[in-house]
Coordinates of all heavy atoms in Angstrom, one line a residue:
M144 N -48.1 -0.3 -6.9 CA -48.4 0.7 -7.9 C -47.1 1.1 -8.5 O -46.0 1.2 -7.9 CB -49.1 1.9 -7.2 CG -50.2 2.5 -8.0 SD -50.8 4.0 -7.1 CE -52.4 3.5 -6.8
N145 N -47.2 1.5 -9.7 CA -46.0 2.0 -10.5 C -45.5 3.3 -9.8 O -46.3 4.2 -9.5 CB -46.4 2.2 -11.9 CG -45.2 2.5 -12.8 OD1 -44.1 2.8 -12.4 ND2 -45.5 2.5 -14.1
K146 N -44.2 3.4 -9.7 CA -43.6 4.6 -9.0 C -43.9 5.9 -9.8 O -44.0 6.9 -9.3 CB -42.2 4.4 -8.6 CG -41.2 4.4 -9.8 CD -39.8 4.3 -9.2 CE -38.8 4.1 -10.4 NZ -37.4 3.9 -9.9
N147 N -44.0 5.8 -11.2 CA -44.3 6.9 -12.0 C -45.7 7.4 -11.7 O -46.0 8.6 -11.7 CB -44.1 6.6 -13.5 CG -42.7 6.5 -13.8 OD1 -41.8 7.1 -13.2 ND2 -42.4 5.7 -14.9
I148 N -46.6 6.5 -11.5 CA -48.0 6.9 -11.1 C -48.0 7.6 -9.8 O -48.7 8.6 -9.6 CB -48.9 5.6 -11.1 CG1 -49.1 5.1 -12.6 CG2 -50.3 6.0 -10.6 CD1 -49.8 3.8 -12.7
I149 N -47.3 7.0 -8.8 CA -47.3 7.6 -7.5 C -46.7 9.0 -7.6 O -47.2 10.0 -6.9 CB -46.5 6.7 -6.5 CG1 -47.2 5.4 -6.3 CG2 -46.2 7.4 -5.2 CD1 -46.4 4.4 -5.6
R150 N -45.6 9.2 -8.3 CA -45.0 10.5 -8.5 C -46.0 11.5 -9.1 O -46.1 12.7 -8.8 CB -43.7 10.4 -9.3 CG -42.6 9.8 -8.6 CD -41.4 9.8 -9.5 NE -40.3 9.1 -8.9 CZ -39.2 8.6 -9.5 NH1 -39.1 8.8 -10.8 NH2 -38.3 8.0 -8.9
G151 N -46.7 11.0 -10.1 CA -47.7 11.9 -10.8 C -48.8 12.3 -9.9 O -49.2 13.5 -9.9
L152 N -49.3 11.4 -9.1 CA -50.4 11.7 -8.1 C -49.9 12.7 -7.1 O -50.6 13.6 -6.7 CB -50.9 10.4 -7.4 CG -51.7 9.5 -8.3 CD1 -52.0 8.2 -7.6 CD2 -52.9 10.1 -8.8
A153 N -48.6 12.5 -6.6 CA -48.0 13.4 -5.7 C -47.9 14.8 -6.3 O -48.2 15.9 -5.6 CB -46.7 12.9 -5.2
L154 N -47.5 14.9 -7.5 CA -47.4 16.2 -8.2 C -48.7 16.9 -8.4 O -48.9 18.1 -8.1 CB -46.7 16.0 -9.6 CG -46.6 17.3 -10.4 CD1 -45.6 18.2 -9.7 CD2 -46.1 16.9 -11.8
V155 N -49.7 16.1 -8.8 CA -51.1 16.7 -8.9 C -51.6 17.2 -7.6 O -52.2 18.3 -7.5 CB -52.1 15.6 -9.5 CG1 -53.5 16.1 -9.4 CG2 -51.7 15.4 -11.0
G156 N -51.4 16.4 -6.5 CA -51.8 16.9 -5.2 C -51.1 18.2 -4.7 O -51.7 19.1 -4.2
A157 N -49.8 18.2 -5.0 CA -49.0 19.5 -4.6 C -49.5 20.7 -5.4 O -49.7 21.8 -4.9 CB -47.5 19.2 -4.9
V158 N -49.8 20.5 -6.7 CA -50.3 21.6 -7.5 C -51.7 22.0 -7.0 O -52.0 23.2 -7.0 CB -50.4 21.2 -9.0 CG1 -51.1 22.2 -9.8 CG2 -49.0 21.0 -9.6
A159 N -52.5 21.1 -6.7 CA -53.9 21.4 -6.2 C -53.8 22.2 -4.9 O -54.5 23.2 -4.7 CB -54.7 20.2 -6.0
V160 N -52.9 21.8 -4.0 CA -52.8 22.4 -2.7 C -52.3 23.8 -2.9 O -52.7 24.8 -2.3 CB -51.9 21.6 -1.7 CG1 -51.5 22.4 -0.5 CG2 -52.6 20.4 -1.3
S161 N -51.3 24.0 -3.8 CA -50.7 25.3 -4.0 C -51.7 26.2 -4.7 O -51.8 27.4 -4.5 CB -49.4 25.2 -4.8 OG -49.7 24.8 -6.1
G162 N -52.6 25.7 -5.6 CA -53.6 26.4 -6.2 C -54.6 26.9 -5.3 O -55.1 28.1 -5.3
V163 N -55.0 26.1 -4.3 CA -56.0 26.5 -3.3 C -55.4 27.6 -2.4 O -56.1 28.6 -2.1 CB -56.5 25.3 -2.5 CG1 -57.2 25.7 -1.3 CG2 -57.3 24.4 -3.3
A164 N -54.1 27.4 -2.1 CA -53.5 28.4 -1.2 C -53.4 29.8 -1.9 O -53.5 30.8 -1.3 CB -52.1 27.9 -0.8
A165 N -53.1 29.8 -3.2 CA -52.9 31.0 -4.0 C -54.3 31.7 -4.2 O -54.4 32.9 -4.3 CB -52.3 30.7 -5.4
A166 N -55.4 30.9 -4.2 CA -56.7 31.5 -4.5 C -57.4 32.0 -3.3 O -58.4 32.6 -3.4 CB -57.6 30.4 -5.2
A167 N -56.8 31.8 -2.1 CA -57.4 32.3 -0.9 C -57.5 33.8 -0.8 O -56.5 34.5 -1.1 CB -56.7 31.7 0.3
G168 N -58.7 34.3 -0.6 CA -58.9 35.8 -0.6 C -59.1 36.4 -1.9 O -59.2 37.6 -2.0
D169 N -59.1 35.6 -3.0 CA -59.3 36.2 -4.3 C -60.8 36.5 -4.5 O -61.6 35.6 -4.3 CB -58.9 35.2 -5.4 CG -58.9 35.8 -6.8 OD1 -59.2 37.0 -7.0 OD2 -58.7 35.0 -7.7
P170 N -61.2 37.8 -4.8 CA -62.6 38.1 -5.0 C -63.3 37.3 -6.1 O -64.5 37.0 -6.0 CB -62.6 39.6 -5.2 CG -61.2 40.0 -5.5 CD -60.3 38.9 -5.0
G171 N -62.6 37.0 -7.1 CA -63.2 36.2 -8.2 C -63.6 34.8 -7.8 O -64.6 34.3 -8.1
I172 N -62.7 34.2 -7.0 CA -62.9 32.8 -6.5 C -64.1 32.9 -5.5 O -64.9 32.0 -5.4 CB -61.7 32.2 -5.8 CG1 -60.5 32.1 -6.9 CG2 -62.0 30.9 -5.2 CD1 -60.8 31.1 -8.0
D173 N -64.1 33.9 -4.7 CA -65.2 34.1 -3.7 C -66.5 34.2 -4.4 O -67.5 33.7 -3.9 CB -64.9 35.3 -2.8 CG -63.7 35.1 -1.9 OD1 -63.4 33.9 -1.7 OD2 -63.2 36.1 -1.4
A174 N -66.6 35.0 -5.5 CA -67.8 35.1 -6.2 C -68.3 33.8 -6.9 O -69.5 33.5 -6.8 CB -67.7 36.2 -7.3
I175 N -67.3 33.1 -7.4 CA -67.7 31.8 -8.0 C -68.1 30.8 -6.9 O -69.1 30.1 -7.1 CB -66.4 31.2 -8.7 CG1 -66.1 32.0 -10.0 CG2 -66.6 29.7 -9.1 CD1 -64.8 31.7 -10.6
T176 N -67.5 30.8 -5.7 CA -67.9 30.0 -4.6 C -69.3 30.3 -4.2 O -70.1 29.4 -3.8 CB -66.9 30.1 -3.5 OG1 -65.6 29.8 -4.0 CG2 -67.2 29.1 -2.4
A177 N -69.6 31.6 -4.2 CA -71.0 32.0 -3.7 C -72.1 31.5 -4.7 O -73.2 31.2 -4.3 CB -71.1 33.5 -3.6
L178 N -71.7 31.3 -6.0 CA -72.7 30.9 -7.0 C -72.7 29.3 -7.1 O -73.4 28.8 -8.0 CB -72.4 31.5 -8.3 CG -72.6 33.0 -8.4 CD1 -72.2 33.6 -9.7 CD2 -74.1 33.4 -8.2
S179 N -71.8 28.7 -6.4 CA -71.6 27.2 -6.6 C -72.9 26.4 -6.4 O -73.1 25.4 -7.1 CB -70.5 26.7 -5.8 OG -70.9 26.7 -4.4
G180 N -73.8 26.8 -5.5 CA -75.0 26.1 -5.3 C -75.9 26.1 -6.6 O -76.5 25.1 -7.0
Q181 N -76.1 27.3 -7.1 CA -76.9 27.5 -8.3 C -76.2 26.9 -9.5 O -76.9 26.2 -10.3 CB -77.1 29.0 -8.6 CG -78.1 29.3 -9.7 CD -78.4 30.8 -9.8 OE1 -77.7 31.6 -9.2 NE2 -79.3 31.1 -10.6
A182 N -74.9 27.0 -9.6 CA -74.2 26.4 -10.7 C -74.3 24.9 -10.7 O -74.4 24.3 -11.7 CB -72.7 26.8 -10.7
S183 N -74.2 24.3 -9.5 CA -74.3 22.8 -9.4 C -75.7 22.3 -9.9 O -75.8 21.3 -10.5 CB -74.0 22.3 -8.0 OG -74.9 22.8 -7.1
S184 N -76.7 23.1 -9.6 CA -78.1 22.7 -10.1 C -78.1 22.8 -11.6 O -78.7 21.9 -12.2 CB -79.2 23.5 -9.4 OG -79.1 24.9 -9.8
Y185 N -77.5 23.8 -12.2 CA -77.5 23.9 -13.6 C -76.7 22.8 -14.2 O -77.0 22.2 -15.3 CB -76.9 25.3 -14.1 CG -77.8 26.4 -13.9 CD1 -77.3 27.7 -13.4 CD2 -79.2 26.3 -14.1 CE1 -78.2 28.7 -13.2 CE2 -80.1 27.4 -13.9 CZ -79.5 28.6 -13.5 OH -80.4 29.7 -13.3
I186 N -75.6 22.5 -13.6 CA -74.7 21.4 -14.1 C -75.4 20.1 -14.0 O -75.4 19.2 -15.0 CB -73.4 21.4 -13.4 CG1 -72.5 22.6 -13.7 CG2 -72.6 20.1 -13.6 CD1 -71.3 22.8 -12.8
T187 N -76.2 19.8 -12.9 CA -76.9 18.6 -12.8 C -78.0 18.5 -13.8 O -78.2 17.4 -14.4 CB -77.5 18.5 -11.4 OG1 -76.5 18.7 -10.4 CG2 -78.3 17.3 -11.2
A188 N -78.7 19.6 -14.1 CA -79.7 19.6 -15.1 C -79.2 19.3 -16.5 O -79.7 18.6 -17.3 CB -80.5 20.9 -15.1
A189 N -78.0 20.0 -16.8 CA -77.4 19.8 -18.1 C -76.9 18.3 -18.3 O -77.0 17.7 -19.4 CB -76.2 20.7 -18.3
F190 N -76.4 17.7 -17.2 CA -76.0 16.3 -17.3 C -77.2 15.4 -17.5 O -77.1 14.5 -18.3 CB -75.2 16.0 -16.0 CG -74.7 14.5 -16.0 CD1 -73.7 14.2 -16.8 CD2 -75.3 13.6 -15.2 CE1 -73.2 12.9 -16.8 CE2 -74.9 12.3 -15.2 CZ -73.8 11.9 -16.0
A191 N -78.3 15.7 -16.8 CA -79.5 14.9 -17.0 C -80.0 15.0 -18.5 O -80.4 13.9 -19.1 CB -80.6 15.4 -16.1
V192 N -80.0 16.1 -19.0 CA -80.4 16.3 -20.4 C -79.4 15.5 -21.4 O -79.8 14.9 -22.3 CB -80.4 17.8 -20.8 CG1 -80.6 18.0 -22.3 CG2 -81.6 18.5 -20.1
A193 N -78.1 15.6 -21.1 CA -77.1 14.9 -21.9 C -77.3 13.4 -21.8 O -77.3 12.7 -22.8 CB -75.7 15.3 -21.5
V194 N -77.7 12.9 -20.6 CA -77.9 11.5 -20.5 C -79.2 11.1 -21.3 O -79.2 10.0 -21.9 CB -78.0 11.1 -19.0 CG1 -78.6 9.7 -18.8 CG2 -76.7 11.2 -18.3
L195 N -80.2 11.9 -21.2 CA -81.4 11.6 -21.9 C -81.2 11.6 -23.4 O -81.7 10.7 -24.2 CB -82.5 12.6 -21.6 CG -83.2 12.4 -20.2 CD1 -84.1 13.6 -19.9 CD2 -83.9 11.1 -20.1
V196 N -80.4 12.5 -23.9 CA -80.2 12.6 -25.4 C -79.3 11.4 -25.8 O -79.6 10.8 -26.8 CB -79.5 13.9 -25.7 CG1 -78.9 13.9 -27.1 CG2 -80.4 15.1 -25.5
A197 N -78.3 11.1 -25.0 CA -77.5 9.9 -25.4 C -78.3 8.6 -25.3 O -78.1 7.8 -26.2 CB -76.3 9.8 -24.4
G198 N -79.1 8.5 -24.3 CA -80.0 7.3 -24.3 C -81.0 7.2 -25.4 O -81.2 6.2 -25.9
G199 N -81.5 8.4 -25.9 CA -82.3 8.4 -27.0 C -81.6 7.9 -28.3 O -82.2 7.1 -29.0
F200 N -80.4 8.4 -28.5 CA -79.7 8.0 -29.7 C -79.3 6.5 -29.6 O -79.4 5.8 -30.6 CB -78.4 8.8 -29.9 CG -78.7 10.2 -30.5 CD1 -78.4 11.4 -29.8 CD2 -79.2 10.3 -31.7 CE1 -78.6 12.6 -30.3 CE2 -79.5 11.5 -32.3 CZ -79.2 12.7 -31.6
W201 N -79.0 6.1 -28.4 CA -78.7 4.6 -28.2 C -79.9 3.8 -28.5 O -79.9 2.8 -29.2 CB -78.2 4.4 -26.8 CG -77.9 2.9 -26.5 CD1 -76.8 2.2 -26.9 CD2 -78.8 2.0 -25.9 NE1 -76.9 0.9 -26.5 CE2 -78.1 0.8 -25.8 CE3 -80.0 2.1 -25.3 CZ2 -78.7 -0.3 -25.2 CZ3 -80.6 1.0 -24.7 CH2 -79.9 -0.2 -24.7
G202 N -81.1 4.3 -28.0 CA -82.3 3.5 -28.2 C -82.7 3.5 -29.7 O -83.1 2.4 -30.2
I203 N -82.5 4.6 -30.4 CA -82.8 4.6 -31.9 C -81.9 3.6 -32.6 O -82.3 2.9 -33.5 CB -82.7 6.0 -32.4 CG1 -83.8 6.9 -31.9 CG2 -82.7 6.0 -33.9 CD1 -83.6 8.4 -32.1
K204 N -80.6 3.6 -32.2 CA -79.6 2.7 -32.8 C -80.0 1.3 -32.6 O -80.0 0.4 -33.5 CB -78.3 3.0 -32.3 CG -77.2 2.1 -32.8 CD -75.8 2.4 -32.2 CE -74.8 1.5 -32.6 NZ -73.5 1.7 -31.9
M205 N -80.4 0.9 -31.4 CA -80.8 -0.4 -31.1 C -82.1 -0.8 -31.8 O -82.2 -2.0 -32.2 CB -81.0 -0.6 -29.6 CG -79.7 -0.4 -28.8 SD -78.3 -1.5 -29.4 CE -78.9 -3.1 -28.8
M206 N -83.0 0.1 -31.9 CA -84.3 -0.2 -32.6 C -84.0 -0.5 -34.1 O -84.5 -1.4 -34.7 CB -85.3 0.9 -32.5 CG -85.9 1.0 -31.1 SD -87.0 2.4 -30.9 CE -88.1 2.3 -32.3
K207 N -83.1 0.3 -34.7 CA -82.8 0.1 -36.1 C -82.1 -1.3 -36.3 O -82.4 -2.0 -37.2 CB -81.8 1.2 -36.6 CG -82.5 2.5 -36.8 CD -81.4 3.5 -37.4 CE -82.1 4.9 -37.7 NZ -81.1 5.8 -38.1
K208 N -81.2 -1.6 -35.4 CA -80.5 -2.9 -35.4 C -81.5 -4.0 -35.3 O -81.5 -5.0 -36.1 CB -79.5 -3.0 -34.3 CG -78.6 -4.2 -34.4 CD -77.7 -4.4 -33.3 CE -76.5 -3.4 -33.4 NZ -75.5 -3.7 -32.4
S209 N -82.5 -4.0 -34.4 CA -83.4 -5.1 -34.2 C -84.4 -5.1 -35.3 O -84.8 -6.2 -35.7 CB -84.1 -4.9 -32.8 OG -84.9 -3.7 -32.8
F210 N -84.9 -4.0 -35.8 CA -85.8 -4.0 -36.9 C -85.2 -4.5 -38.2 O -85.8 -5.2 -39.0 CB -86.4 -2.7 -37.2 CG -87.4 -2.3 -36.1 CD1 -87.5 -0.9 -35.8 CD2 -88.2 -3.2 -35.4 CE1 -88.4 -0.5 -34.8 CE2 -89.1 -2.8 -34.4 CZ -89.2 -1.5 -34.1
S211 N -83.9 -4.2 -38.4 CA -83.2 -4.7 -39.6 C -83.0 -6.3 -39.6 O -83.0 -6.9 -40.6 CB -81.8 -4.0 -39.8 OG -80.9 -4.4 -38.8
K212 N -82.8 -6.8 -38.4 CA -82.7 -8.2 -38.2 C -84.1 -8.9 -38.4 O -84.1 -10.0 -38.9 CB -82.1 -8.6 -36.9 CG -80.6 -8.3 -36.8 CD -80.1 -8.7 -35.4 CE -78.6 -8.4 -35.3 NZ -78.0 -8.8 -34.0
A213 N -85.1 -8.3 -37.9 CA -86.4 -8.9 -38.0 C -87.0 -8.9 -39.4 O -87.8 -9.7 -39.7 CB -87.4 -8.1 -37.0
G214 N -86.7 -7.8 -40.1 CA -87.4 -7.7 -41.4 C -86.6 -8.2 -42.5 O -86.9 -8.6 -43.6

């Protein structure tokens, strides 16, 4: 692996660890963590809707392409 990539990954890891250590005992973080189950269900539902919408647009595009070749 490139040594710049390794240094970057090490830096990101150090920042993440220090961020977690700084957030320990923060009431705002505790409130967000308490809602994480409900938030993850909302995020999952939003992602499912986004996938359906993107698939719909892709399907319309493919139908237009196939009909233009057929006609």
Side-chain angles (χ1 to χ4, degrees):
M144 219 185 246
N145 189 347
K146 68 178 174 180
N147 288 332
I148 294 173
I149 294 171
R150 287 180 187 165
L152 291 173
L154 178 64
V155 168
V158 169
V160 168
S161 66
V163 169
D169 185 5
I172 298 297
D173 293 339
I175 291 170
T176 304
L178 293 174
S179 67
Q181 187 175 9
S183 66
S184 65
Y185 288 142
I186 291 168
T187 303
F190 182 71
V192 169
V194 168
L195 287 174
V196 169
F200 282 117
W201 177 81
I203 291 169
K204 179 181 172 185
M205 295 305 289
M206 286 175 53
K207 284 182 179 179
K208 186 185 284 189
S209 65
F210 289 149
S211 68
K212 288 182 180 180

